[in-house]
Amino acid sequence: MRTSLPRSLVLGGAIATSLCIGYALGAQPHMDEAVAILQSARAELGKAEPNKGGHRERAMGLIDQAIAEVRAGIAFAAGH
C-alpha cells in the first residue's frame, strides 16, 4: 500500500526549500557582521575625547568610507 503526502505539505516544503535557497544565495552574513562591527567601532570613537590631534576624526571618516564600501559590495553581490 502506497501512502502519499498531502499536497499542502508538499507545497509547503517546496516553498520553504525555495526560500532557503534564495536566502543562501543572497545572504551576506560576514559582510553584514562587518558593517555591524564597523558601526560599533565608529560609535566608540564618537564617545572618545577629541584630543587626538585629528586622528580620531580621520579614523571616523575612514570607517564611514569602509561602511560604504562594504554596503556597495553587498549591493553588487545581490545584483549578480
Side-chain angles (χ1 to χ4, degrees), residues 42-72:
R42 192 184 193 299
E44 290 300 318
L45 285 171
K47 296 174 190 175
E49 293 293 325
N51 59 352
K52 313 294 186 280
H55 294 285
R56 172 184 158 268
E57 291 77 14
R58 282 192 290 280
M60 289 170 49
L62 290 169
I63 289 172
D64 290 341
Q65 289 178 28
I67 290 169
E69 288 297 324
V70 174
R71 286 183 174 154

Side-chain angles (χ1 to χ4, degrees), residues 8-30:
S8 60
L9 182 60
V10 173
L11 180 59
I15 291 171
T17 300
S18 67
L19 289 174
C20 290
I21 290 170
Y23 176 78
L25 293 176
Q28 296 287 323
H30 300 297

